[in-house]
Amino acid sequence: MALGPQRTLPMPLVAASEDVGIFGEAADVPAVFWFWGGRDRETALADFASGNVDSLPSNHSPHFAPVVEPTRTTGIQTLTLAARTWLT
């Protein structure tokens, strides 16, 4: 695993994007919908355990305020890894 277990969490089922899969199918290319955090690990784990995931502010909410690090670094690393993997 490229990011290591300290920066990865199993995601519970969440209401994400109902149309993201259509884009990949229409273009006949692989598509992926990633979550790369925004909250500190302990808060995320507590939210997952309490079942509070869908009521938390998402990236489209004016109340969404991600923790800058490691969110920025993880985003850059995952996008770079994907580009290097798929755009060889």
Side-chain angles (χ1 to χ4, degrees), residues 21-39:
I22 295 169
F23 301 128
E25 289 178 6
D28 196 29
V29 297
V32 65
F33 193 93
W34 289 338
F35 291 90
W36 61 62
R39 290 172 287 186

Side-chain angles (χ1 to χ4, degrees), residues 9-53:
L9 298 171
M11 280 293 296
L13 292 177
V14 297
S17 177
E18 69 283 352
D19 58 0
V20 72
I22 295 169
F23 301 128
E25 289 178 6
D28 196 29
V29 297
V32 65
F33 193 93
W34 289 338
F35 291 90
W36 61 62
R39 290 172 287 186
D40 63 274
R41 183 178 181 85
E42 290 74 28
T43 301
L45 288 171
D47 291 339
F48 294 169
S50 71
N52 189 34
V53 177

